Amino acid sequence: VAGLTPDETITVEAGDNFFVQTEIEGNAGDVIEIIMQNNGTVTHNLRVAGPDNEYETGDDFESTPFAVRPGEQGRTVVKIDEAGRYLYRCDFHPLEQTGTLVLL
Ligand SMILES: [Cu+2]
């Protein structure tokens, strides 16, 4: 879905090693663009677990670029048709740097 025009844009700021926004909200079925602004001093990214809510499976949504350097932005384009709560994380700090995308 990376080439689709987004219906919504949400900004998530990253520090070392956390997301400022740990719960974000959107609409099920929309093309949602998540802009991750890396305000930290090390590399971060943003991966959404996808419809199955499991990481490292084929339905995940990863940021472009995969590794977002300090001061730069990554873009994760998400489209999930079912309402629910979906996990996201930074792959470099997967246990501490997490959040939830709530689709209504
Ligand atoms: Cu990180």
Side-chain angles (χ1 to χ4, degrees):
V1 295
L4 297 178
T5 303
D7 299 306
E8 317 178 41
T9 299
I10 301 169
T11 300
V12 174
E13 296 157 84
D16 302 331
N17 298 319
F18 60 90
F19 292 122
V20 174
Q21 291 79 11
T22 55
E23 187 165 305
I24 57 178
E25 204 174 275
N27 292 309
D30 274 7
V31 177
I32 301 172
E33 171 185 60
I34 302 171
I35 301 293
M36 191 275 280
Q37 171 66 42
N38 184 358
N39 291 328
T41 64
V42 298
T43 295
H44 298 290
N45 78 353
L46 195 152
R47 172 193 295 271
V48 177
D52 67 358
N53 244 341
E54 300 273 351
Y55 293 114
E56 308 287 355
T57 55
D59 65 358
D60 292 15
F61 301 94
E62 288 178 5
S63 59
T64 304
F66 179 78
V68 183
R69 291 183 297 187
E72 298 189 345
Q73 287 186 343
R75 181 171 180 269
T76 308
V77 181
V78 178
K79 183 179 186 300
I80 300 175
D81 291 330
E82 278 203 40
R85 298 174 64 84
Y86 299 95
L87 302 173
Y88 60 90
R89 76 177 187 191
C90 167
D91 288 319
F92 300 94
H93 311 100
L95 298 181
E96 54 192 320
Q97 191 169 6
T98 64
T100 305
L101 167 65
V102 181
L103 295 183
L104 306 174

